Amino acid sequence: MLSPKPEIRMQPNMATRRAITRRQFLEWLSILLSAWGAAIVGIPIIGFVLSPLIQKPPQLWRAVGAADRFKVGETVEVTFLDPSPLPWSGVSAKTAAWLRREGEQEYIAFAVNCTHLGCPVRWLPNADLFMCPCHGGVYYQDGSVAAGPPPRPLAQYDVRVENGQVEILTRPITIG
Ligand code: FES
């Protein structure tokens, strides 16, 4: 007669210890992956938000064209290089302004960005108005608000003529 096989039983506390270890491992893995994901998303956002406080973009004079290129009374769009473009900016490192020659030696330059939410405004020469296509903001030719949501007049740049070149002094533009 065969004797019954001895039954091999796992000790209950061993099984429980292994299950807790696996659970703890998965919990730690989940925490690590969440922290990693939050860092990947959060660090660039924090850097973007804090960068204006950490370093102010330099103010530079930028040439926008020969003085004799501009006719008195005309408002034209000019482009210049952003003083502190990001390494990956490419063509978007260029920014623009609306320049008007008001007299032989007098120029006025407006930022293209609407003071509401920053859309580029267009100059309408037949109406002598700047018009924002985003929410219908309208500015008079001196940059003051004529209608719509813009809270302030268009920002202005300092302008000078050096060696026959019209130059604009770059500066940060406040939006909103
Ligand atoms: S962004 Fe120009 S009116 Fe809103």
Side-chain angles (χ1 to χ4, degrees):
M1 192 174 159
L2 288 173
S3 62
K5 279 188 181 174
E7 201 173 307
I8 301 172
R9 281 195 179 170
M10 226 185 246
Q11 290 179 3
N13 62 343
M14 279 177 67
T16 308
R17 208 179 304 149
R18 193 178 306 149
I20 288 170
T21 303
R22 188 180 305 133
R23 185 179 305 131
Q24 281 177 334
F25 171 75
L26 290 175
E27 280 174 4
W28 278 107
L29 184 64
S30 144
I31 289 169
L32 279 176
L33 288 176
S34 301
W36 185 65
I40 284 179
V41 173
I43 288 174
I45 292 173
I46 291 169
F48 176 77
V49 169
L50 295 182
S51 60
L53 305 175
I54 295 168
Q55 88 185 138
K56 293 207 165 162
Q59 288 193 289
L60 298 172
W61 287 101
R62 294 287 201 208
V64 294
D68 55 13
R69 188 191 123 193
F70 304 103
K71 294 186 189 143
V72 175
E74 243 183 30
T75 302
V76 294
E77 189 174 19
V78 293
T79 57
F80 56 93
L81 197 63
D82 190 300
S84 56
L86 296 170
W88 54 85
S89 296
V91 290
S92 68
K94 280 197 162 184
T95 187
W98 289 105
L99 180 76
R100 182 183 311 127
R101 186 172 190 171
E102 301 213 294
E104 279 309 310
Q105 295 299 320
E106 294 161 55
Y107 294 82
I108 187 168
F110 299 98
V112 291
N113 304 96
C114 178
T115 57
H116 180 219
L117 293 178
C119 290
V121 298
R122 308 300 309 165
W123 170 246
L124 306 178
N126 295 332
D128 282 344
L129 294 169
F130 293 100
M131 176 84 191
C132 177
C134 290
H135 312 104
V138 184
Y139 301 85
Y140 293 115
Q141 64 172 348
D142 65 356
S144 59
V145 178
R152 286 183 309 283
L154 289 173
Q156 289 187 28
Y157 296 104
D158 289 342
V159 185
R160 72 180 184 187
V161 179
E162 279 284 302
N163 301 322
Q165 289 286 317
V166 179
E167 295 182 347
I168 283 180
L169 182 62
T170 62
R171 70 181 183 89
I173 300 299
T174 308
I175 305 291

